């Protein structure tokens, strides 16, 4: 082989390698982008399609999270209920009863919580621990596919698809093991509160 | 010679009696039961809360829990190992429960629970099956569908649309369950797989506990070959290890003690015969003591045996006194030395014995069998040793020990010391004042030793235990609500009343949850009330149609629900017997049992929330529940508090008894000495020795407990002998070298034997040793310091 052609090959491969990250949007980039959100609030509308029921089940409420490990899902309609996750503790309240359990004692719960919490907070390491993640699309409009690894959770949920634009999570779709599926559409609550008001005359007092 | 025959036959009689007594004692000891459990250190007449606690400690599930951890290898290897080990342990039949996070056990139980869901679900109440109630319950169930949790609900939807199964399951999942990985329990803090087992055998049955532990280790042996290691902990492991340790140490201490003291005696007497004779009162004392304890208590505690080896130190003194002091005066007939000892020294030894017995007699009346055992052992042992000295030694060696050995140098050294020591009187008084100041400054802080300080469990084992407990969420010293009643039904009803109030505490977040037997076995009344709220088929069908109208769930699909509700109406209520054979039975039995003295108890262990459970708040929440005695009784027991209180009571009682003992000693001395000045002469050095010993311990920041107190009693017992000898010799105007040498040798053996005990790994024994060794030395030293003898006189020559 001639020296010249080999050098060209090396150059081409090197160029391709350098160019790739710029072309494809990957998990690391997505996570880095999401990490910028230290906290957030959103409203959601969830539709669940259950075989054997005459109509889809609809629920709506609010979501909120705060890095590193707080996540709350509060359903307001059709019934009030809530799930508050803080670190390893999950508190679930329904019909006036609440109970607290250790998150990691229930692997199926871990999957459910981490699919949302780790995505919202951009915790790629945790996502990769419980799922096989696959990112497609671009920063403007991306899709994160999560295939569960934990056997008990995997028997309940075959895949989770999270969709979003830039650093906002906009939808979570869940394909359940028994063929049912759900779609949650998320509308971020943009904090419209203006900058803290400056003391009157702050500007004027400048010499 | 008639006069010569009489003593000889009396000697023969004494020997025969002694041999008979020893044979009887040996027989009693051979038949004695030896124990090493905590129960000997629990009160005999406890109050209601203590009784619950003691029952729990002796036979409760906590006493039967064996915690296992598997370390080493990969996560998969460990997961596989816990499955293999759990299967093997379940098969062994030695365990009532073997849990490692596998669902196995509960699958079988699940069917029984499902069948009886309308008996068990707390949601089943009159309002539940109205149109409104049905709609609400079905809505709640629907809210789970289409979520991962729905996969458990969906298959049961047509039979259980109101979600009763879910309600039962919810309550059974503990708030502090262990972490689950690969389908088995693992630690949160270390690469370790976990198992929680409960033995069938009672916690107090140490042989059976040892067998269960051994079984776990042997089942694990093939896995250990893969590089995995097994850790075991729990009350049973501690008890078995402690028993082995006590046995080992008691044997070792006895052997080393006998060897060391034997060596000293050989040096002193240079005669094997003298050595054997000196040890005879010791052996007599131990045999008498153990036999007396076995006779009066039915069993002998390991700690009492350990204490036995400490008695060597005091009982050997009697032999030494005799051997050195029973020497014929010049010119008297050989074989008459014992008479001189009997006339001159025995009254002093007898008085010393009497004071010791008074000191320990106070313990005999202790409400705690462990302490009472120590008292009986000491009183019987010392009396036996003294009687053997008085009646058997004169027959065997009428003229004491003939050899010289160290006797002369010891005597000379003593004589010098007696001359010099009184000069230090001021120094010792000053030290005494400093000690008193230190003790007053420390005040109540001084006696702060707790039950843990008695525990022979090494720190590493305690750490492993708390680690495994944290991993498993298995609290050992939590807070319990105890519901009791004359019969099982009353106890269960009381428990139900209590859990209703506890639910409010869970809502408020004061506790994370609780376990209750009523979740698996509600009272008959509660079950009948639930069944009574189930409507007839036709009515239910009609209400269902209205409740599901407009809803996504069609009433037609719910025909199986209507049938099953009808079937439930006919199904008999659950009883303890109907649970038999399922894992539910052992889960119920752990929390519901008949008390040994009649009546039933239901236990409700509370699970702490983010903070520790506050027993006062729980008590407040449960107030007014126990107005009607026929409705059962409710108590809140904070196990750790209760144990500490128990120990505090124990300590207070022992302190009072020790003071009474000290008063008795002074009274006996006063009656005998009949002179305030002589009484002071005996008591002053003794009191100062106790004061200085306490001061030293306070200076070293030792947390003093009951066994230190027992040690101080021993110091008084031993020291009073020294004081009495000095007081008598003071009165006679001088001291002879032989008596002085015997005191010094006796003191040396005491200090050596207690010094050895001070090195023991059993806290109970080392505490005694660390008090008595310095205390006894000080007692002799101070007896000499405060002696009023001007100068020693020459050995008696009358």
């Amino acid at each position: 082989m001639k020296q010249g052609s080999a050098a060209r090959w090396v150059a081409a491969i090197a160029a391709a390698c350098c160019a790739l990250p710029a072309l494809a949007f990957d998990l690391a980039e997505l996570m880095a982008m999401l990490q910028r959100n230290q906290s957030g609030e959103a409203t959601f509308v969830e539709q669940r399609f259950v075989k054997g029921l005459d109509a889809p089940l609809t629920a709506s409420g609010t979501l909120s999270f705060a890095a590193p490990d707080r996540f709350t899902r509060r359903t307001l309609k059709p019934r009030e209920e809530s799930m508050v996750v803080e670190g390893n503790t999950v508190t679930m309240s329904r019909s006036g009863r609440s109970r607290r359990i250790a998150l990691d004692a229930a692997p199926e719960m871990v999957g459910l919580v981490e699919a949302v919490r780790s995505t919202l907070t951009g915790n790629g390491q945790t996502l990769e621990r419980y799922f096989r993640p696959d990112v497609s699309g671009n920063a403007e409009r991306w899709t994160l596919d999560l295939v569960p690894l934990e056997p008990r959770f995997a028997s309940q949920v075959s895949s989770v698809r999270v969709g979003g634009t830039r650093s906002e999570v906009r939808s979570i779709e869940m394909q359940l093991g028994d063929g049912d599926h759900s779609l949650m559409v998320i509308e971020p609550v943009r904090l419209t509160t203006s900058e803290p008001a400056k003391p009157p005359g702050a500007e004027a007092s400048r010499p | 010679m008639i006069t010569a025959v009489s003593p000889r036959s009396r000697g023969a009689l004494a020997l025969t009696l002694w041999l008979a007594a020893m044979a009887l004692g040996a027989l009693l000891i051979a038949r004695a039961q030896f124990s090493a459990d905590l129960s000997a250190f629990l009160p005999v007449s406890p109050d209601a809360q203590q009784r619950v606690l003691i029952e729990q400690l002796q036979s409760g599930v906590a006493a039967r829990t064996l915690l296992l951890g598997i370390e080493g290898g990969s996560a998969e290897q460990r997961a596989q190992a816990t499955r293999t080990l759990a299967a093997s342990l379940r098969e062994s039949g030695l365990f009532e429960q073997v849990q490692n996070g596998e669902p196995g056990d509960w699958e079988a139980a699940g069917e029984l629970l499902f069948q009886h869901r309308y008996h068990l679900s707390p949601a089943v109440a009159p309002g539940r099956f109205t149109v409104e109630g049905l709609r609400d319950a079905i809505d709640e169930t629907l809210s789970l569908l289409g979520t991962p949790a729905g996969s458990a609900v969906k298959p049961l939807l047509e039979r259980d649309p109101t979600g009763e199964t879910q309600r039962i399951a919810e309550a059974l999942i503990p708030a502090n369950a262990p972490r689950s990985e690969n389908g088995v329990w693992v630690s949160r803090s270390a690469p370790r797989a976990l198992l929680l087992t409960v033995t069938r055998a009672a916690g107090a049955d140490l042989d059976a506990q040892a067998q269960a532990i051994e079984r776990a280790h042997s089942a694990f042996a093939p896995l250990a070959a893969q590089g995995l290691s097994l850790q075991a902990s729990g009350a049973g492991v501690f008890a078995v290890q402690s028993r082995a340790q006590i046995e080992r140490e008691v044997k070792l201490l006895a052997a080393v003690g006998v060897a060391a003291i034997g060596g000293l005696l050989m040096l002193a007497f240079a005669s094997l015969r003298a050595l054997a004779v000196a040890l005879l009162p010791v052996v007599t004392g131990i045999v008498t003591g153990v036999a007396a304890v076995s006779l009066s208590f039915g069993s002998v505690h390991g700690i009492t045996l350990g204490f036995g080896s400490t008695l060597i130190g005091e009982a050997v003194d009697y032999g030494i006194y005799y051997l050195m002091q029973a020497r014929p005066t010049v010119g008297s007939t050989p074989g008459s030395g014992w008479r001189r000892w009997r006339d001159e020294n025995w009254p002093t030894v007898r008085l010393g014995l009497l004071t010791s017995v008074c000191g320990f007699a106070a313990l005999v009346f202790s409400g705690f069998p462990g302490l009472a055992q120590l008292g009986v052992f000491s009183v019987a042992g010392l009396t036996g040793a003294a009687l053997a000295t008085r009646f058997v030694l004169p027959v065997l060696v009428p003229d004491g020990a003939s050899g010289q050995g160290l006797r002369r140098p010891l005597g000379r050294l003593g004589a010098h010391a007696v001359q010099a020591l009184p000069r230090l009187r001021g120094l010792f008084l000053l030290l005494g004042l400093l000690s008193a100041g230190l003790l007053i400054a420390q005040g109540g802080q001084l006696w702060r030793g707790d039950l843990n300080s008695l525990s022979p469990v090494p720190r590493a084992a305690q750490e492993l235990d708390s680690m495994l407990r944290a991993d498993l969420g298995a609290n050992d010293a939590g807070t319990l609500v105890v519901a009791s009643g004359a019969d099982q039904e009353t106890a269960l009803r009381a428990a139900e009343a209590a859990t209703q109030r506890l639910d409010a505490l869970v809502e408020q977040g004061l506790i994370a949850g609780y376990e209750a037997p009523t979740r698996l076995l509600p009272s008959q009344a509660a079950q009948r009330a639930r069944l009574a709220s189930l409507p007839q088929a036709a009515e239910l069908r009609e209400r269902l149609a209205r409740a599901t109208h407009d809803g996504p769930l069609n009433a037609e699909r719910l025909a199986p629900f209507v049938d099953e509700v009808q079937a439930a109406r006919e199904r008999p209520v659950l009883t303890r017997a109907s649970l038999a054979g399922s894992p539910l039975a052992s889960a119920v039995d752990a929390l519901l049992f008949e008390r040994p003295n009649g009546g039933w108890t239901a236990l409700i262990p509370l699970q702490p929330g983010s903070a520790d459970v506050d027993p006062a708040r729980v008590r407040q929440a449960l107030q007014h529940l126990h107005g009607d005695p026929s409705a059962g009784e409710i108590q809140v027991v904070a196990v750790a508090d209760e144990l500490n209180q128990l120990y505090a009571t124990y300590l207070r009682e022992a302190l009072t008894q020790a003071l009474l003992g000290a008063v008795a000693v002074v009274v006996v001395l006063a009656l005998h000495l009949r002179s305030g000045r002589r009484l002071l002469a005996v008591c002053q050095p003794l009191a100062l020795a106790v004061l200085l010993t306490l001061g030293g311990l306070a200076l070293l920041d030792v947390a003093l407990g009951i066994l230190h107190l027992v040690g101080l009693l021993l110091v008084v017992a031993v020291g009073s002998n020294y004081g009495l000898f000095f007081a008598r010799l003071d009165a006679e105007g001088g001291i002879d070298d032989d008596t002085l040498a015997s005191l010094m040798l006796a003191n040396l053996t005491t200090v050596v034997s207690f010094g050895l005990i001070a090195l023991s790994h059993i806290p109970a024994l080392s505490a005694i040793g660390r008090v008595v060794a310095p205390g006894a030395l000080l007692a002799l030293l101070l007896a000499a310091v405060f002696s009023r003898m001007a100068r020693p006189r020459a050995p008696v020559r009358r």
Side-chain angles (χ1 to χ4, degrees), chain A residues 88-101:
Chain A
N88 193 37
T89 308
V90 188
T91 310
M92 284 176 295
S93 306
R94 280 203 290 154
S95 312
R97 331 183 286 280
S98 58
R99 65 196 184 100
R100 216 184 60 135
I101 60 166

Side-chain angles (χ1 to χ4, degrees), chain B residues 642-702:
Chain B
E642 210 61 49
L643 275 178
N644 285 335
Q645 240 167 46
L646 201 66
Y647 186 80
T649 318
Y650 194 177
L651 189 60
R652 225 173 12 250
E653 192 189 302
L655 280 168
T656 318
Q657 281 159 351
L659 277 177
L660 284 177
V663 169
V665 167
V666 174
V667 168
V668 168
L669 288 176
L671 283 178
H672 179 83
L673 296 171
R674 296 181 181 284
S675 144
R677 198 183 55 80
R678 287 172 67 195
L679 181 64
L680 186 69
V682 175
C683 290
Q684 196 180 23
L686 209 52
L688 198 56
V690 168
L691 193 62
L692 287 180
T693 309
L694 273 177
L697 291 169
L699 197 65
L700 293 173
D701 208 24
V702 177

Side-chain angles (χ1 to χ4, degrees), chain A residues 75-95:
Chain A
T75 309
L76 300 172
K77 281 178 183 170
R79 312 166 52 77
E80 270 190 44
E81 56 181 59
S82 72
M83 174 168 83
V84 179
V85 189
E86 200 171 354
N88 193 37
T89 308
V90 188
T91 310
M92 284 176 295
S93 306
R94 280 203 290 154
S95 312

Side-chain angles (χ1 to χ4, degrees), chain A residues 48 79 81 94-97, chain B residues 123 128 133-145 153 161-163 166-167 170:
Chain A
R48 305 195 304 276
R79 312 166 52 77
E81 56 181 59
R94 280 203 290 154
S95 312
R97 331 183 286 280
Chain B
R128 184 75 160 177
L134 284 168
R135 185 177 292 145
D136 194 53
I138 292 171
D139 273 356
E140 187 180 324
T141 305
L142 290 177
S143 75
L144 290 172
L145 291 181
V153 176
T162 54
Q166 191 70 15
R167 275 302 287 267
E170 241 174 46

Side-chain angles (χ1 to χ4, degrees), chain B residues 342-367:
Chain B
R342 186 192 60 192
D343 297 339
E344 289 187 8
N345 300 75
W346 167 245
T348 310
V349 172
R350 193 178 51 197
L351 182 59
L353 169 72
L354 203 57
T355 57
S356 302
V357 166
C358 283
F360 283 107
L363 293 183
V364 173
F365 304 104
S366 168

Side-chain angles (χ1 to χ4, degrees), chain A residues 4-178:
Chain A
S5 73
R8 262 203 305 280
W9 269 107
V10 170
I13 290 168
C17 286
C18 295
L20 267 173
L23 288 175
F25 183 63
D26 71 356
L27 183 69
E29 261 180 291
L30 174 59
M31 290 297 119
M33 207 162 69
L34 290 166
Q35 269 164 27
R36 278 178 227 137
N37 303 330
Q38 281 302 294
S39 64
E41 274 190 52
T43 59
F44 74 88
V45 177
E46 182 187 59
Q47 282 201 301
R48 305 195 304 276
F49 303 88
V50 181
K51 282 197 195 126
L53 290 192
D54 303 341
L57 299 163
T58 306
S60 59
T62 63
L63 298 176
S64 68
F65 79 96
D69 58 10
R70 263 192 79 99
F71 167 66
T72 305
R73 176 195 153 124
R74 208 173 296 281
T75 309
L76 300 172
K77 281 178 183 170
R79 312 166 52 77
E80 270 190 44
E81 56 181 59
S82 72
M83 174 168 83
V84 179
V85 189
E86 200 171 354
N88 193 37
T89 308
V90 188
T91 310
M92 284 176 295
S93 306
R94 280 203 290 154
S95 312
R97 331 183 286 280
S98 58
R99 65 196 184 100
R100 216 184 60 135
I101 60 166
L103 179 59
D104 61 2
E108 56 272 31
M109 184 78 88
V110 178
L112 185 65
V113 167
E114 295 302 353
V116 184
R117 180 170 72 174
S118 295
T119 304
L120 286 171
T121 55
N123 187 344
Q125 216 179 346
T126 305
L127 278 183
E128 286 187 298
R129 183 163 165 203
Y130 297 106
F131 303 95
R132 206 174 58 237
D134 182 37
V135 175
S136 55
N138 52 42
E140 208 49 55
R141 193 167 201 82
W142 48 264
T143 304
L144 170 64
D145 281 300
L146 299 169
V147 178
L149 298 175
E150 207 288 322
R152 231 192 290 184
F153 183 54
S155 71
Q156 294 177 351
V157 175
S158 44
S159 71
V160 180
R161 167 172 286 198
V162 186
T165 58
R166 304 213 62 86
S167 64
E168 282 174 353
V169 174
R170 301 304 297 267
S171 69
I172 299 175
E173 235 182 305
M174 212 173 278
Q175 196 64 48
L176 300 185
D178 55 8

Side-chain angles (χ1 to χ4, degrees), chain B residues 470-521:
Chain B
D471 286 345
L472 281 163
N475 275 352
D476 58 335
T479 305
L480 293 170
V481 174
V482 181
S484 36
D487 50 32
Q488 186 180 309
E489 176 71 5
T490 315
L492 285 172
R493 275 198 230 180
E496 278 160 354
T499 54
Q500 277 178 3
R501 302 273 182 98
L502 291 174
D503 285 335
L505 295 187
V506 176
E507 278 314 309
Q508 293 163 31
L510 276 174
I511 55 174
Y514 56 84
E515 279 177 74
T518 49
R519 282 177 174 153
L520 297 174
L521 182 63

